[in-house]
Amino acid sequence: MTLALDLMNYALMLAFAIVGLSQLMAMVRVVIGPDTGDRILALDTMVVNAIGLIVLMGLAQGTRIYFEVSLIIAMLGFVSTVAYARFVLRGDIIE
């Protein structure tokens, strides 16, 4: 039984490291992105990575509240990405 728990802990640590690295790579794309579209895409990627980190935290701690938080952040991330892209394309958000 402890072998399965140890394997789960190692997998969680590896997943945290991989998602954290991808978060840093997206942050670099936000900073050096040559175009506004690249920056919007990188911000959306950062939202997805943040959701992944929150879900991993919920798995590591064994609580369900993080899954509800990740759903709320997913909805806010989607709406903010659409609003920012619409602002860049048209100059206004609400017509």
Side-chain angles (χ1 to χ4, degrees), residues 15-89:
F16 271 118
I18 290 171
V19 175
L21 180 66
S22 66
Q23 183 82 335
L24 287 174
M25 291 169 58
M27 195 177 303
V28 168
R29 179 50 61 187
V30 167
V31 173
I32 65 168
D35 194 16
T36 307
D38 292 332
R39 289 188 170 107
I40 293 172
L41 186 62
L43 285 172
D44 192 42
T45 305
M46 287 179 68
V47 169
V48 171
N49 288 335
I51 292 168
L53 286 171
I54 291 170
V55 168
L56 286 173
M57 183 67 76
L59 286 173
Q61 291 185 358
T63 61
R64 283 191 247 167
I65 190 71
Y66 292 105
F67 300 114
E68 295 171 6
V69 169
S70 66
L71 286 173
I72 292 170
I73 291 175
M75 288 186 290
L76 289 174
F78 173 73
V79 169
S80 65
T81 301
V82 169
Y84 189 58
R86 195 166 185 188
F87 176 72
V88 168
L89 288 176

